[in-house]
Amino acid sequence: MGYPQLEHHGAKDGVTGSCHQLDMNATTSLLVDCGLFQGDDASIPSGEGGSRLLIDFPLDTIKALVVTHVHIDHVGRIPYLLAAGFEGPILCTEASAKLLPIVLEDAFKLSFSRDQQRIERYIDIVESRLVALPYQHWFTLVDTDELNASIRLQRAGHIIGSAYVEIDLNYPQAGESKRIVFSGDLGAPHAPFLMPPQSPERADILVLESTYGDRLHEDRQTRRQRLEAVIEQALQDQGTVLIPAFSIGRTQELLYELEEIIHTRSVGASSLANMLPSETVPASSTSVGASLLANSNSRPPLSTEERAAPILPLPSGERAGVRGRETMLENGITSESAGLRSEETSPVISSDAEQPPLPQRERAGERGKKVAANHLPDQTTTNWPELPIILDSPLASRFTAAYRELKPFWNQEARDRVQSGRRPLAFEQLITIDSHSDHQRIVNHLTQTARPAIVIAGGGMCSGGRIVNYLKAMLGDKRYNVLFVGYQAKGTPGHAIQTYGPKGGYVNLDGERFDIRAGISSIGGYSAHADQKGLMEFVTGMQQWPTEIRVVHGEQRAKEALAEALKQHLPAPFELQL
């Protein structure tokens, strides 16, 4: 029997563009993911340049699309798939069914049209195709005399709603059966919100991701302390800390852990205040943070003495979850202080080659890794309870709101925080920026005042989104720091900044060269992907090991390293393909 057969339409020779076709027989197939190519993967392999957006494979046998999770490199080509004529159902988990329309609306705006009527018609089509499946529930795809096919989605621990896919194929006439497992993107342990993945019982054929197949992550259990330490050190440079973040998953994890830092510091500050007479508490100990932004945008950069001067504390009241101008006003950022004009209220939806180093210079923020590795930060360095956390990404704000509505899918720790009265994704210091004009004013304000703040801006690999404007304004100033907490694909500006920034290099943004003088730090423990150990445990945890493993979704070095580890740890013979 010649079936099942596998075809890979993306993420076979790289990390992005995931798209795999399972041919169950000559007339019936299943598509698993249909993602966007990014970075170097986005160029046609022949080197001709051009786009890899178009669907270049026949659709006549494809009966359904299964979405493992809603990251753009797994779903970004769905608009093109629908335009090419695909009319089948889109299967995903219940949580992904809530998130996917948001992702595809943004993808449609970027790729096809911003016409609201066209967008609404398109989203109506998407929603009508969605089939939301509970975890651990077998769903019948095909039931004929020749083929019985069922699918089951299991928790992958990557982002909310992520799943690996189990497919049972039975061929009654031939008396044969096969189980195929697509890993999707597997998560690492100790992730906020998420329960870790558990290995499937068995697999005859395993399609396994290998993003971090050649390395081990830093200890995730202590990553909050490292995050706190790196930010503490960066803020000593008297400027903004920029965190490029993916709208789904990484942003919400960051907010979750920043809230934990603020909560811990608030409890500590309250204890200290109760122990000391009120007159001995420095006035400045409660007077830094979001209210730091309430200063004229027209004034020159402040001196060290001015920065240390007491400033009014944050006003009380709800702050998070309110977008744009209202949020800014609630945090003491008036129209005048941020340079906003009352008539500018309409929101606008946002949408590496080797290089010689620049002359050596003092590098800001490079001490952060050493601080993080050696000890926790001094409790008196930064007043975290008053530090503004700015979320500048309309898309990330929408996903954060959706995450709040998906509490049934949170792990027990996260649900316990809510039960105790805390708001992990809507805490008081969180400022959300919506309109493009407000975004521009905040960039200008932070650039001119160099006030301490943490900015989480959309554009995880720095190839687009609002993070680019911050980078253009701040990369050349050593007072600022860029903190990477996610994977940077080769060929993206984020990879260039991460690679060449610590060497005093440069990056090209929108065709213009920008020298990098800002401090550059990375925290590997924030990867949402399993490392080599996690990937190996996923395989070896099966009761029946695969007889065939396809290693995909990784750079060549990562794939080869994972393949070698598999050979050493799986004693039973199996077929391995890279």
Side-chain angles (χ1 to χ4, degrees), residues 153-384:
L153 303 180
Q154 303 276 37
R155 296 181 186 276
H158 180 60
I159 63 171
I160 277 188
S162 61
Y164 65 82
V165 185
E166 295 179 297
I167 304 165
D168 267 3
L169 302 180
N170 292 290
Y171 301 89
Q173 295 177 350
E176 297 185 9
S177 64
K178 291 283 186 180
R179 176 170 290 188
I180 300 92
V181 174
F182 291 85
S183 73
D185 284 358
L186 296 173
H190 310 297
F193 302 110
L194 304 175
M195 287 168 267
Q198 294 184 341
S199 300
E201 296 173 359
R202 63 184 181 86
D204 295 301
I205 302 172
L206 171 64
V207 181
L208 180 63
E209 71 120 321
S210 59
T211 312
Y212 286 108
D214 61 340
R215 69 195 74 177
L216 300 176
H217 290 323
E218 300 174 50
D219 181 10
R220 293 174 63 88
Q221 291 179 308
T222 60
R223 70 182 190 174
R224 181 181 65 80
Q225 288 86 351
R226 295 199 311 278
L227 174 69
E228 185 176 359
V230 170
I231 291 176
E232 281 278 7
Q233 185 60 61
L235 289 172
Q236 291 183 21
D237 293 326
Q238 299 294 331
T240 301
V241 178
L242 303 178
I243 305 179
F246 300 92
S247 297
I248 317 168
R250 202 66 47 79
T251 291
Q252 291 75 36
E253 289 190 14
L254 279 168
L255 295 178
Y256 183 91
E257 298 213 326
L258 288 169
E259 188 273 342
E260 171 66 13
I261 296 172
I262 292 169
H263 174 77
T264 303
R265 291 300 188 94
S266 297
V267 171
S270 298
S271 300
L272 179 62
N274 290 332
M275 293 171 60
L276 298 175
S278 59
E279 62 267 24
T280 66
V281 179
S284 60
S285 68
T286 58
S287 60
V288 298
S291 54
L292 287 172
L293 298 175
N295 289 276
S296 172
N297 206 21
S298 61
R299 65 175 294 168
L302 301 181
S303 66
T304 302
E305 291 75 20
E306 287 176 307
R307 291 193 187 103
I311 301 173
L312 293 176
L314 279 164
S316 61
E318 292 283 332
R319 289 170 177 77
V322 182
R323 296 180 179 176
R325 187 179 315 279
E326 294 177 2
T327 303
M328 295 165 66
L329 292 174
E330 287 181 356
N331 286 276
I333 310 173
T334 64
S335 296
E336 292 77 14
S337 71
L340 299 175
R341 297 191 298 274
S342 59
E343 65 271 18
E344 292 183 78
T345 58
S346 58
V348 177
I349 309 251
S350 64
S351 41
D352 317 281
E354 290 297 326
Q355 51 178 272
L358 296 178
Q360 291 295 316
R361 60 175 68 86
E362 180 183 354
R363 303 293 302 154
E366 289 184 346
R367 302 177 303 278
K369 285 186 178 179
K370 296 179 181 178
V371 174
N374 295 326
H375 56 78
L376 294 180
D378 183 354
Q379 295 286 323
T380 62
T381 304
T382 299
N383 190 346
W384 281 84

Side-chain angles (χ1 to χ4, degrees), residues 117-136:
Q117 289 187 339
R118 288 191 65 189
I119 292 169
E120 290 175 1
R121 288 196 300 270
Y122 166 71
I123 293 302
D124 286 344
I125 293 172
V126 169
E127 291 179 337
S128 70
R129 304 279 187 86
L130 288 176
V131 177
L133 302 179
Y135 286 117
Q136 302 180 334

